Amino acid sequence: MSSVPDGKKLVRSPSGLRMVPENGAFNSPFSLDEPQWVPDKECPRCMQCDTKFDFIRRKHHCRRCGRCFCDKCCSKKVALPRMCFVDPVRQCAECSLVSQKEQEFYDKQLKVLLGGGTFVVTLGTSDKSETMTCRLSNNHRYLFLDGESHFEVELSRISSMQILTDGTSPGGGTSRASGMLLHYKPMGSQDAQQLQMEAAEDKKVASLWLAAMHKAAKLLHEARDQ
């Protein structure tokens, strides 16, 4: 094991090669565990089209859901970063659509979160606010808030998240994200703390960051419920 907390190691599973943290405690909060494959003896037929398996029609397992399919129903190889696979892996039609949508988060929105946005931050019921840059840590496990002071919020300890809006966007249409209200438990405490963030200088950048954080919250919720 490496002495570097965020060190990675390459492991081989039945589903393929994965690049995972050496210490499981440092897994990304967005990550999903590999599913248990449906045993071969329990799936004599494709679980999508009901085709019977034989020497010609081989069975394949979807790497995301673990169910058993024929080649026609499980032919796509799609990137699955939430399970840390190095290469695209075989997935059924339903799972491949989900993974393709998630890829947009990893390709675009995750970069926005890592880049950060500027907000006016208020802790608890305090009357004092501070302008801070908020960004996601490189290991995706913390929100770093930097201004005159510095503190961190561990994503796994966030109990609720609400995106605040400022009405309609210019020219009409959907409302634009303008802030965020978090409830979380600081390390070593079981008491929830409130954190409110309002867009500061560059409201467009802040709005994009908040929209990306909204998507991240959905992935966090899925990971917790798996």
Side-chain angles (χ1 to χ4, degrees):
M1 297 272 297
S2 169
S3 60
V4 180
D6 291 338
K8 300 287 186 73
K9 62 180 179 181
L10 191 64
V11 298
R12 182 181 294 279
S13 75
S15 298
L17 285 174
R18 301 170 65 224
M19 185 67 74
V20 301
E22 290 188 332
N23 186 334
F26 294 98
N27 284 336
S28 165
F30 304 127
S31 65
L32 296 173
D33 294 333
E34 281 190 84
Q36 291 290 326
W37 284 10
V38 174
D40 287 349
K41 62 182 179 181
E42 294 181 13
C43 53
R45 295 176 178 273
C46 174
M47 300 179 79
Q48 179 65 41
C49 69
D50 204 38
T51 297
K52 186 176 181 179
F53 296 124
D54 53 31
F55 287 110
I56 297 176
R57 295 179 180 84
R58 297 179 57 198
K59 60 187 65 175
H60 302 276
H61 287 86
C62 171
R63 271 49 175 175
R64 184 176 182 119
C65 69
R67 294 187 299 162
C68 199
F69 301 92
C70 67
D71 181 69
K72 183 179 178 180
C73 294
C74 194
S75 60
K76 291 187 176 180
K77 289 191 174 182
V78 181
L80 188 46
R82 294 188 73 184
M83 291 184 189
C84 305
F85 285 110
V86 174
D87 301 308
V89 291
R90 189 184 291 268
Q91 298 178 55
C92 66
E94 182 179 347
C95 287
S96 66
L97 287 176
V98 175
S99 295
Q100 286 169 352
K101 290 180 181 178
E102 291 175 350
Q103 191 60 42
E104 182 181 352
F105 172 78
Y106 280 88
D107 287 343
K108 298 179 181 179
Q109 293 161 320
L110 189 57
K111 293 178 183 178
V112 172
L113 292 174
L114 293 170
T118 305
F119 300 89
V120 177
V121 179
T122 306
L123 272 176
T125 57
S126 173
D127 294 330
K128 295 182 179 180
S129 299
E130 182 179 346
T131 300
M132 309 183 82
T133 298
C134 183
R135 67 176 181 85
L136 186 69
S137 65
N138 290 334
N139 62 12
H140 311 160
R141 297 180 61 240
Y142 298 92
L143 291 179
F144 289 158
L145 292 101
D146 290 291
E148 291 184 4
S149 58
H150 168 87
F151 67 94
E152 304 169 1
V153 175
E154 189 170 1
L155 265 64
S156 64
R157 298 182 68 83
I158 294 175
S159 54
S160 68
M161 180 188 303
Q162 179 185 356
I163 301 297
L164 308 175
T165 59
D166 62 358
T168 57
S169 59
T174 57
S175 56
R176 183 171 64 182
S178 61
M180 181 169 66
L181 187 64
L182 289 180
H183 289 92
Y184 71 100
K185 293 179 180 178
M187 289 297 294
S189 173
Q190 292 302 313
D191 297 324
Q193 173 85 43
Q194 178 177 293
L195 172 68
Q196 183 165 341
M197 300 165 52
E198 293 286 348
E201 302 160 0
D202 193 330
K203 295 187 182 298
K204 182 178 180 180
V205 170
S207 182
L208 289 172
W209 191 93
L210 291 166
M213 195 63 201
H214 184 249
K215 177 62 177 178
K218 293 181 179 179
L219 301 188
L220 286 172
H221 182 72
E222 291 171 5
R224 289 174 179 175
D225 288 349
Q226 69 174 350

